[in-house]
């Protein structure tokens, strides 16, 4: 069957297409839609991975700085407290202090990690696919 183009439309006349042609066209459009969804998901994952990588690097640098600070401040505090009390008690007080600080920092980091949104646009457009397939 030859497809003719009505003058002025620039495309095939769908009213004269066979059921097979219409199904093939729908299949191509659906395949294109799925490829675009996958491409969007890949792009969002790359963006999120970059953000997560940067955040992880900052956490690592902060951990190294915190460790060095912890060592020097702890030693100075322990030394200062040992002038007033037994060295064992001074060391225990310093250890408990740093345990509390570490707990607070870990809690804040966990809260920050929860704010990362993943695949937001992909989820949104994927919800629209069933309606688009139904023609809505």
């Amino acid at each position: 069957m030859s497809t003719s183009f009505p003058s002025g439309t620039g495309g095939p006349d769908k009213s004269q297409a066979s059921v097979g042609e219409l199904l093939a066209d729908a299949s191509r459009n659906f395949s294109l839609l799925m490829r675009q969804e996958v491409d969007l998901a890949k792009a969002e994952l790359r963006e999120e991975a970059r953000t997560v990588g940067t955040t992880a690097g900052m956490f690592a640098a902060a951990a190294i700085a915190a460790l060095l600070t912890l060592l020097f401040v702890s030693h100075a505090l322990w030394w200062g407290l040992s002038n007033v009390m037994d060295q064992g008690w001074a060391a225990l007080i310093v250890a408990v202090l740093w345990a509390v600080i570490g707990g607070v920092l870990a809690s804040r980091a966990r809260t920050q990690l929860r704010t990362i949104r993943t695949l937001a646009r992909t989820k949104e457009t994927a919800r629209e696919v069933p309606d688009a397939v139904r023609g809505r």
Side-chain angles (χ1 to χ4, degrees), residues 59 99-115:
F59 274 127
V100 169
I101 291 170
V104 169
L105 290 174
S107 174
R108 290 188 69 197
R110 186 176 58 220
T111 302
Q112 176 75 22
L113 196 57
R114 288 180 183 158
T115 63

Side-chain angles (χ1 to χ4, degrees), residues 15-34:
S15 65
Q16 301 299 319
S18 69
V19 173
E21 290 172 336
L22 291 174
L23 286 175
D25 189 39
S27 175
R28 276 191 302 276
N29 288 341
F30 186 74
S31 294
L32 176 64
L33 178 62
M34 289 299 107

Side-chain angles (χ1 to χ4, degrees), residues 1 11-12 15 24 27 30-31 37 44-45 57 60 62 68 84 93 95 99-100 105 109 111-113 119-120 133 136:
M1 174 179 176
S15 65
S27 175
F30 186 74
S31 294
E37 285 297 319
E44 282 188 302
L45 282 173
L68 292 172
V84 182
I93 290 171
V100 169
L105 290 174
T111 302
Q112 176 75 22
L113 196 57
L119 303 176
V133 170
R136 293 185 204 159

Side-chain angles (χ1 to χ4, degrees), residues 50-73:
R50 196 174 303 122
T51 302
V52 168
T54 303
T55 303
M58 287 189 279
F59 274 127
I64 291 169
L67 178 61
L68 292 172
T69 302
L70 174 73
L71 290 173
F72 289 108
V73 170

